[in-house]
Amino acid sequence: MRRPIVFIFLSYVFGIVIQHFILQDGFSLIIFASLIVAVSIIVRLLKFKINQSSIAVLFLLINLFGCLSYYVAENSQDPLVEDIGKHCYVEGRVITVQIKDKEYWQMLITSENGGKRLIQVKGSSIKPQDMIGKRTRVLGEVLLPNESRNPGLFNYRLYLKTIGVRIIIKANAENIVFYCENKSILFSNIAAMKYGFLNRLEKVMEPETFGIMTGMLFGDRSLIGDNTYSMFQRNGIAHILSVSGIHVGIIYMFISRLFGSRKTKSFYLLSVVFLILYAALAEFSPSVVRAVIMIFIYIFSKISYHRYDFMSCTAFGAFVMLIFNPFYLFHIGFQLSYLAVFCLASALPWVNRKLDILNQKSNSNVKDILIEGPRYIAPLLVIQIGMAPLTAYMFNYFSIASFFINIPVIAISGILIPLGVALMPLSFFEGVGPVGLMFGVLAELAELLINGMTWLNELFYLPGLGFFNVTSPYIFFMLLFYGFFFYLSSELFRIQYQRKKYKVIALICAVFIIISFLALAMIGTEHHKAELVFVDVGQGDCLHIRTPGGKNILIDGGGSPNNAVGEKILLPYLLKNHVSSIDLAVVTHLHDDHYLGIAELSNKMEIRKLGIYEAYRHKEHLIMDDTGLKKQDLLYLKKGDRIEIEKGIRLDVLYPEKKSDEMYQKFLLDEHDENNNSLLIKLYYHGLSVLLTGDIGLEGEQKIMNLYRENESSLNADILKVAHHGSRYSTGDRFLDAVNPNIVVFQVGKNNFGHPHPAIIDKCLKKDIIVYRNDQDGAIILQEEGEKWQIETMLRKSMRIK
């Protein structure tokens, strides 16, 4: 077998994926292991060709090893997990520190059992170099990291597992003590070197350029503004701000040029030491570790006179990292870094062969332009093409600009990164003689280069032209694309094609298609077809309705002046779940926690119609300015209106009534009155009814009850979205009895208002009503199953109702 390490790596990865997405528990793993053993025995008993049966059995056993490794890692617990919610003392050594702002910072510590804990601290901090390497004792609240609160969105708990953290400690700065005794000399000296350099560099650079330089050298993006980073990301060059293989490769090339063409063992030893030091300065990010491992293997091959195979080396590096921590497979940096290198290792030889063939056919006059030019840019183009589906899947954008801007930006980085490395030793002589003068001059040169890169970034930032938002591709498409990408560019395919083994080629392609379909059926867990989702937008309301005909409706959209809910929660939630536009958004009233998210979303995604209470005609221009919508896109609603969405699906507006313009003007001046005039909407969805109440209080409920005195059954609903996030001044007994729900949903997040009030929750429980709430359950998801509905939450509670 050629490249056996690639086969071993893929088998191991397959095992991790099966355990994470399909098996998940110990009993399923036992069944799967039994099946593997049984299949292995049958394969041997049937006496297939030795080579074939050996490969099949080996694949199954390595696959099982991957399952077992992930299961053991998943079920390893931090001893503090038994103290969740309690205040405890923890001790450990500080290994990294990240300053978020003046009053919030966090540090990563290693505990006595070798595990890691993340300490999130409120209060002023001391300098990072005065903490790193020291032992610390912390009193704080023990917490589990948050899981994904909405379908398809970021899973913080899984991310922390990729860096070895299972427990968070929330503490105040005054409850932290550092000990100078027995401190780590290595960690302390590295921190002193790094932060001493940064402190001196900060004095001679503008804040924005200093933040970019810090990101490029050490991967710390905390000093880069959100708008600037977003521009880098949308242009497809954000990788330059996270230390990656490109950075390590540039540094290794710099060292090679510095010491000339002669490569002795001393040179290689010095390179190893320097790269380990740089990896430590970059806090051993997965992409850096990957690049360093690959260079170490390259160095070993040179010293031992063995052939260096790029693909095998990449697979070995990934396999070693996954053996140490199977969760690495779900780290974005690991995925992006290794996929880029695998794409390069697989497709670049094919591209170079094609260029060689073209070279032989061309005359010398056009050779340099047509052949050698593309040969230089081919690696970047291969990476861009290969990474496009994964980038779309993870970040929901496709950047055309990246195909053009990456070339000059990487060229600039090829100067900037070595320049930054050279500035480190020079910084110790800041202000001292000619060497100190040289530090200032080179820092100004670095700033000039960063300004040039920023100018390019702004030049190529063209929303809708240079980049555009896209929905996450289905897992079927992802597997199919990468299966064919790697297979069709491989030597195996070339040999099979040359030998005219078309049946084998067709069989392999069929296997890719079958596996892709199976993966879509078995691990398509994003709830992307859910009919109703009470989206967790924090302290706010939002219901997403999806119809069989493909229409998407939002009732409210949350919102907060301190958090761009529309851009940071709604937009990624919709794109992750394959929604590219909203057919109708209805806002119950214009308070921020219902309307602001919709207004922000409308500037990022098409909203075809916006439904609002008729009184808001008097704010028409303000609404159009906020949303970018036109007058004909606004739909004014009042009691008695009905919106037919599809057969069996409609929205009925039950309240408020049509009033005079004078009454509308009066109500718009009174915030309390605006709450009590929230649109009361009843959703009918194939026999299921949901009553949506906005922020209606007891006074508004009384008006509603008076309106429906003769026909209270009109208010009946299977599900009640509790008014005003569970305020004690809403959801009276009479109103609750009239609605008579089976389920109530509190759309609520962290707040200072006491929402939801315990009395409202008790009232519902005493009436045997099932209670769901976003702050504890995350998103509440309803999926139709014939005459029944399955109700799930993102935080692992589920049931079925008829």
Side-chain angles (χ1 to χ4, degrees), residues 656-690:
E657 299 175 288
K658 183 177 180 62
K659 298 176 183 176
S660 65
D661 282 350
E662 184 180 349
M663 292 295 291
Y664 286 153
Q665 293 278 14
K666 181 181 177 183
F667 124 82
L668 290 173
L669 295 174
D670 187 340
E671 183 176 338
H672 174 71
D673 202 27
E674 190 170 353
N675 274 345
N676 281 313
N677 281 278
S678 297
L679 288 175
L680 181 67
I681 299 170
K682 192 171 183 179
L683 164 68
Y684 293 87
Y685 197 115
H686 294 172
L688 182 77
S689 55
V690 183

Side-chain angles (χ1 to χ4, degrees), residues 364-376:
S364 57
N365 294 329
V366 297
K367 175 182 174 182
D368 290 341
I369 298 174
L370 295 181
I371 308 301
E372 296 307 322
R375 199 182 296 278
Y376 284 112

Side-chain angles (χ1 to χ4, degrees), residues 718-739:
D718 300 304
I719 299 174
L720 169 66
K721 196 290 300 180
V722 178
H724 208 172
H725 323 291
S727 165
R728 66 185 300 179
Y729 304 111
S730 66
T731 319
D733 287 308
R734 186 183 168 198
F735 182 76
L736 191 58
D737 288 339
V739 179

